[in-house]
Amino acid sequence: MARDLAPGPGIRRGRLRVYLGSAPGVGKTYRMLDEARRRQERGADVVVGYIECHGRRHTQAMTEGLEAVPRAHRSYRGAEFEEMDLDAVLARRPSVVLVDELAHTNIPGGRNAKRWQDVEELLAAGIDVITTVNIQHLESLNDVVRKITGIPQRETVPDEVVRRADQLELVDMAPQALRRRMAHGNVYKAEKVDAALSNYFRVGNLTALRELALLWVAGRVDEGLRDYRASHNIDRVWETRERVVVALTGGPEGETIIRRAARIADRTAGGDLLAVHVTRSDGLAGASSGALAQQRQLVESLGGSYHVVVGDDIPTALLAFARAHDATQLVLGTSRRGRVSRFLTGPGTGQTTVDASEDIDVHMVTHEFTGRGKLPPLGRRHSKRRTVAGFASGLIVPALLTAVLSQFHARLNLTTDALIFQLGVVAVALLGGAVSAVVAAVIASVLLNYFFIPPTHSLTIGEANNIVALLVFATVALTVSTVVDHAGKLTSRAARATAEAETLSTLAGSVLRGADALPALLEKSRTAFGMDSVALLDSLTGETIARSDGGGDSTAGEATEVAVGERSVLVLTGRRLPAADQRVLTAFAAHVAAALERDRLAVVAAEVEPIKAADRMRTALLAAVSHDLRTPLAAARASVGSLRSPDVEFSPEDQAELLATADESLVKLTRLVDNLLDMSRLQAGALTLHLAPTSLEELLVRAMDSLSDPQAPIQPLDLDRVPPVLADPPLLERVLANVITNALRHNAPGAPVLVTASHHADLVEIRVIDRGPGIAPEDRDRVFLPFQRLGDTDNTTGVGLGLALSRGLAEAMGGSLEVEDTPGGGTTMLLTLPAVPEPQTVEPGGPRPEGSAVR
């Protein structure tokens, strides 16, 4: 992890400027030196801590006139290397120091293993640092670059180190322009240009790396912009990038508006698509978990992201989410409600969102379900507008009914009048709830008595039967209003439970689809509850285990804590959570506790796995060597026993044959034991290497002499045209001998085994080519497993350690061993090793030419 060293008392922390290159050779070092010269002209004390010019004359010319701190010389495995002298730079205390190749691995013997750690010490000492790094060396992009180029990056720097830079400048160049630079000899020497252009520096590779660099820097700029807006309390959306938020209800129109939003986002390069579903305490009409799951899949297939937030007011929650993500456009479907529903309940989510959107463009997308929805259930918790409307109806409806019934008083009896008034009270109860129904019942009772119960136009009741009827009317009206209100509360609770279950279901699905559960849980809990930040802390030490921060101030706002297991606590910072959300938050905490436990079990399993692997290796070893050790031992013992027998006199020819048999058997036994010992050392990580410059031409001769048949048909090509490789000579001899023996065993009769070599950048590729039956793609990894003899049915060919041991030794020396098809049929074993660059000898981790950064 990146270290953040604190400066000493009274010392300000130095400022870091990083030149980030999209690829090797785009001119990072030149730009850094140009900036140094400009600062020097302004009077700054600038020194060179470490610069790699890679033999480029224009870059070398830029160093003239700049003071350079003498480099430290270190010995490593018999060779001398140069590194930046950190202590000398600290003692010199310039105002600015130039440090090239931030991701470089230092030669053992210094204080820090990585150069970026040296830079951290310089910054802590108050010294400004200007440095360079290529995009492929960022830790987060390591696997992405390997998939694009096929070449692993062995030197990386944590992203956080570069993210914390005070100034970050991208050094970019079009792929065609960079290839022209290389063709003119401005990047590599002439003999390396063709290999580099046909391998790493292909147009496709350079274009992909360039896009990675642009996107990474754009994300870094976006973070800085959000921090600036948060620190200056700027709530307005700045339309620096098109971000389209599509609101999903789970209704049948979802796919239509998702595709429409995706087309809007695709109109601009780099547009983002975010889908959001709001769950609230009273549920959401038409929401379907199955439909939401399908819509989520559609969003993700279109390159967007899916989010769930909790909010009591849907328009407010939508706009808060959109502003938190700097959305420029919000896409909603037109209402499924009909005119009557809109008249009864007022403007819907779409209109309310448009009225409050301010600087966010809102698109209302029409669809085939517009206006075809059902009336919303009237038994839900009522909004303020609806409560006022219900109270007004409680006053008006009885009066209207009185006016209408007065016109037909001669034709209707008291029972009919009472039932019609009863129907009006029920309607008011459905619309406005219990309070409105009570008001309507009281007024209706008074009007019924005054206008329709004799004597009319008087509150006096003449007959006892009419008194009973009026009391029954009032009782029924109040009972109905109570039942309706209770039903509304039950509906609200059921909807709340449905919303909570929907949120937890989405959460569980997100965790199951993610590779790392804990970060996914924290991110989902932050977005679901609309918080600024969520942190998982150790309750005993207070250390942060994991964290998810949004775009706002992660330290401001109210903190909500919930226990996670016995030693952890989940802290949410932002708005005050209502009590109703605490149940869902507790469920989130339970998921977090389960994820922590799973991570702990994964660590335990990882610790157990080497033991299991060793057991499997031991079992396989015992099974495999039971015959292979016995066979040469038996042959040697039989030969020696025959020679020592006093009962038989052997001729000189027979004695020579028996001695040859014994010698051949002992040689096989020695080779087998050596392979077993080396494999066990590799498994235990105890193999000692002595790397040195090694000539392939000379080493191949020794490898051929060690074969059981020194006269085997082997044809070397171009071995004298490649530089020496950095390897352990005896081990490399073993690797070549094993690979060539395997090729001879499977080669076509009469065809020679070809051994060729080529040089690409800082790598030497050695190919051992046979014309045998070849290896199927699905079996190529199996041939490198210990105790496997692919296609063999007996044990006479050995225990199957040759290729497994060869790959292990190659990787231990910083190389690789892979299988390729031979054009025209057969198998090619590709052995890749680091080349010794000119003019100095280089070891893994030491200073390398810039092209080596793509190894």
Side-chain angles (χ1 to χ4, degrees):
M1 297 181 62
R3 295 186 302 172
D4 188 6
L5 301 177
I11 300 177
R12 71 161 183 88
R13 182 175 174 82
R15 298 179 60 83
L16 177 64
R17 184 186 184 109
V18 177
Y19 286 94
L20 178 66
S22 58
V26 294
K28 305 179 304 299
T29 305
Y30 189 94
R31 294 279 291 277
M32 177 177 64
L33 290 168
D34 183 59
E35 172 65 18
R37 295 173 72 92
R38 288 195 302 106
R39 294 196 184 194
Q40 188 182 53
E41 292 174 357
R42 296 197 301 265
D45 182 15
V46 182
V47 302
V48 175
Y50 190 94
I51 290 291
E52 237 358 301
C53 294
H54 305 294
R56 299 164 190 168
R57 62 182 184 277
H58 299 295
T59 305
Q60 186 66 45
M62 291 292 292
T63 63
E64 296 179 1
L66 293 175
E67 178 187 349
V69 176
R71 300 181 180 183
H73 294 268
R74 295 176 188 158
S75 298
Y76 184 66
R77 292 180 176 173
E80 290 292 326
F81 303 96
E82 292 183 344
E83 290 283 10
M84 181 179 71
D85 193 334
L86 176 60
D87 293 327
V89 176
L90 291 172
R92 171 65 175 76
R93 290 200 62 82
S95 60
V96 182
V97 61
L98 310 183
V99 182
D100 209 359
E101 298 185 356
L102 184 63
H104 170 80
T105 300
N106 292 330
I107 291 295
R111 188 158 59 246
N112 298 313
K114 297 286 187 176
R115 184 166 291 167
W116 63 263
Q117 294 171 325
D118 294 340
V119 168
E120 287 292 326
E121 289 201 32
L122 293 172
L123 295 173
I127 301 173
D128 293 347
V129 178
I130 306 178
T131 187
T132 65
V133 69
N134 280 328
I135 190 67
Q136 68 265 21
H137 292 300
L138 295 180
E139 182 66 42
S140 65
L141 301 178
N142 185 274
D143 57 338
V144 179
V145 173
R146 180 178 59 81
K147 291 178 182 178
I148 294 173
T149 64
I151 300 174
Q153 308 299 314
R154 290 180 171 83
E155 292 183 331
T156 59
V157 59
D159 289 44
E160 184 61 24
V161 174
V162 183
R163 287 181 185 275
R164 288 205 308 255
D166 299 281
Q167 291 178 286
L168 178 65
E169 184 172 336
L170 177 65
V171 184
D172 185 29
M173 184 177 291
Q176 295 79 1
L178 179 56
R179 287 171 60 86
R180 284 196 299 270
R181 281 198 67 195
M182 297 189 66
H184 294 157
N186 294 328
V187 179
Y188 293 136
K189 295 182 180 179
E191 63 270 16
K192 299 181 180 180
V193 171
D194 291 339
L197 290 176
S198 60
N199 285 274
Y200 188 85
F201 290 87
R202 295 192 295 269
V203 173
N205 288 357
L206 295 177
T207 302
L209 290 174
R210 189 185 190 195
E211 183 174 5
L212 280 177
L214 291 171
L215 291 175
W216 194 91
V217 173
R220 175 67 178 87
V221 173
D222 196 46
E223 291 175 8
L225 182 60
R226 287 202 301 269
D227 292 341
Y228 177 84
R229 292 177 58 225
S231 62
H232 289 75
N233 297 320
I234 299 175
D235 296 328
R236 300 188 313 276
V237 175
W238 286 4
E239 301 180 11
T240 54
R241 182 193 299 185
E242 288 292 344
R243 289 186 177 87
V244 181
V245 173
V246 53
L248 302 180
T249 67
E253 77 284 355
E255 294 187 1
T256 300
I257 62 174
I258 288 172
R259 292 190 174 93
R260 176 59 174 160
R263 291 194 295 271
I264 295 174
D266 288 342
R267 289 174 183 170
T268 58
D272 294 336
L273 175 65
L274 301 91
V276 58
H277 172 63
V278 180
T279 60
R280 68 185 194 185
S281 58
D282 60 349
L284 189 61
S288 167
S289 299
L292 284 173
Q294 294 178 357
Q295 291 167 15
R296 174 181 189 141
Q297 293 178 358
L298 177 60
V299 169
E300 293 176 346
S301 69
L302 294 173
S305 59
Y306 181 86
H307 307 266
V308 176
V309 298
V310 177
D312 291 329
D313 184 79
I314 292 180
T316 301
L318 284 177
L319 292 171
F321 177 85
R323 291 192 175 95
H325 290 79
D326 286 333
T328 56
Q329 303 187 60
L330 183 59
V331 180
L332 299 92
T334 54
S335 177
R336 298 195 304 270
R337 299 180 303 156
R339 294 181 178 179
V340 175
S341 177
R342 289 197 296 270
F343 172 77
L344 292 176
T345 59
T349 299
Q351 185 60 48
T352 307
T353 303
V354 170
D355 294 341
S357 62
E358 297 179 355
D359 50 359
I360 298 178
D361 297 336
V362 180
H363 299 262
M364 300 297 297
V365 178
T366 58
H367 49 83
E368 58 179 319
F369 303 99
T370 300
R372 298 184 181 181
K374 300 178 181 179
L375 283 172
L378 297 178
R380 291 182 175 177
R381 191 179 66 186
H382 309 301
S383 64
K384 182 177 180 181
R385 179 189 179 96
R386 188 166 154 190
T387 300
V388 173
F391 185 80
S393 65
L395 297 173
I396 297 173
V397 169
L400 289 176
L401 290 177
T402 300
V404 172
L405 292 175
S406 297
Q407 303 300 321
F408 304 94
H409 180 64
R411 302 178 185 179
L412 301 176
N413 57 27
L414 180 60
T415 302
T416 303
D417 294 335
L419 289 176
I420 292 176
F421 270 107
Q422 185 69 66
L423 179 62
V425 172
V426 171
V428 172
L430 290 173
L431 178 63
V435 176
S436 300
V438 169
V439 172
V442 171
I443 296 177
S445 300
V446 173
L447 294 177
L448 183 65
N449 179 29
Y450 188 83
F451 288 99
F452 302 103
I453 296 178
T456 59
H457 301 96
S458 172
L459 295 178
T460 302
I461 301 176
E463 299 180 7
N465 186 47
N466 291 337
I467 297 175
V468 174
L470 186 61
L471 292 176
V472 170
F473 169 80
T475 302
V476 171
L478 293 175
T479 302
V480 169
S481 63
T482 303
V483 171
V484 169
D485 185 65
H486 183 64
K489 292 179 180 179
L490 292 179
T491 302
S492 178
R493 293 175 186 173
R496 175 71 187 185
T498 301
E500 292 175 356
E502 179 185 319
T503 301
L504 294 176
S505 174
T506 304
L507 167 69
S510 302
V511 173
L512 290 176
R513 280 187 289 270
D516 197 344
L518 193 55
L521 281 168
L522 297 186
E523 176 64 18
K524 284 296 176 183
S525 62
R526 184 185 65 79
T527 57
F529 293 104
M531 306 301 282
D532 294 331
S533 69
V534 177
L536 181 63
L537 307 178
D538 189 309
S539 57
L540 298 181
T541 64
E543 295 181 356
T544 301
I545 301 174
R547 189 178 189 89
S548 173
D549 291 317
D553 187 357
S554 61
T555 61
E558 190 164 334
T560 303
E561 297 185 2
V562 59
V564 177
E566 298 179 356
R567 286 200 48 175
S568 304
V569 61
L570 194 64
V571 180
L572 295 87
T573 305
R575 67 184 181 94
R576 177 191 292 272
L577 281 181
D581 289 338
Q582 293 292 333
R583 293 192 302 272
V584 184
L585 180 58
T586 302
F588 271 77
H591 279 284
V592 172
L596 280 175
E597 180 64 15
R598 189 172 69 178
D599 289 348
R600 186 188 67 81
L601 293 177
V603 172
V604 173
E607 294 174 351
V608 173
E609 188 58 34
I611 301 176
K612 293 173 59 179
D615 288 339
R616 290 194 297 267
M617 176 70 70
R618 187 180 301 108
T619 301
L621 174 62
L622 293 175
V625 304
S626 60
H627 178 276
D628 296 271
L629 284 175
R630 188 181 299 114
T631 300
L633 281 173
R637 288 188 61 187
S639 298
V640 174
S642 299
L643 290 173
R644 295 184 61 190
S645 175
D647 299 330
V648 182
E649 292 186 5
F650 293 98
S651 64
E653 293 80 6
D654 292 337
Q655 291 179 359
E657 184 177 352
L658 289 172
L659 287 172
T661 301
D663 181 67
E664 182 180 354
S665 299
L666 292 174
V667 168
K668 289 181 179 179
L669 183 62
T670 300
R671 184 180 298 114
L672 174 60
V673 172
D674 288 343
N675 284 343
L676 290 173
L677 289 176
D678 284 340
M679 180 57 71
S680 66
R681 292 191 187 100
L682 280 174
Q683 294 286 339
L687 185 67
T688 302
L689 298 177
H690 299 284
L691 302 181
T694 305
S695 170
L696 288 178
E697 191 174 18
E698 297 176 1
L699 194 68
L700 180 62
V701 175
R702 297 203 299 268
M704 294 170 58
D705 291 339
S706 67
L707 300 178
S708 57
D709 182 10
Q711 304 302 319
I714 301 172
Q715 182 179 352
L717 294 174
D718 300 329
L719 297 184
D720 57 340
R721 296 185 179 182
V722 296
V725 297
L726 192 65
D728 187 308
L731 295 183
L732 181 55
E733 180 183 334
R734 295 271 302 282
V735 172
L736 288 175
N738 285 338
V739 174
I740 292 173
T741 299
N742 184 75
L744 290 170
R745 182 182 302 128
H746 299 285
N747 198 25
V753 170
L754 300 181
V755 182
T756 68
S758 58
H759 182 210
H760 304 283
D762 66 335
L763 299 176
V764 171
E765 296 179 346
I766 308 161
R767 288 177 168 82
V768 179
I769 305 169
D770 67 58
R771 294 292 179 178
I775 301 175
E778 61 270 17
D779 292 330
R780 290 179 180 175
D781 288 333
R782 288 179 54 202
V783 300
F784 295 108
L785 296 177
F787 314 114
Q788 297 289 324
R789 292 177 294 275
L790 194 62
D792 296 338
T793 57
D794 57 39
N795 290 336
T796 61
T797 56
V799 295
L801 279 177
L803 291 181
L805 178 62
S806 298
R807 170 176 273 190
L809 294 177
E811 292 177 349
M813 291 184 289
S816 63
L817 181 61
E818 304 293 341
V819 179
E820 293 181 347
D821 288 327
T822 300
T827 300
T828 297
M829 288 291 177
L830 174 60
L831 174 62
T832 304
L833 292 169
V836 177
E838 298 176 356
Q840 61 179 5
T841 303
V842 176
E843 295 257 315
R848 289 190 284 269
E850 189 172 4
S852 69
V854 300
R855 236 175 53 195

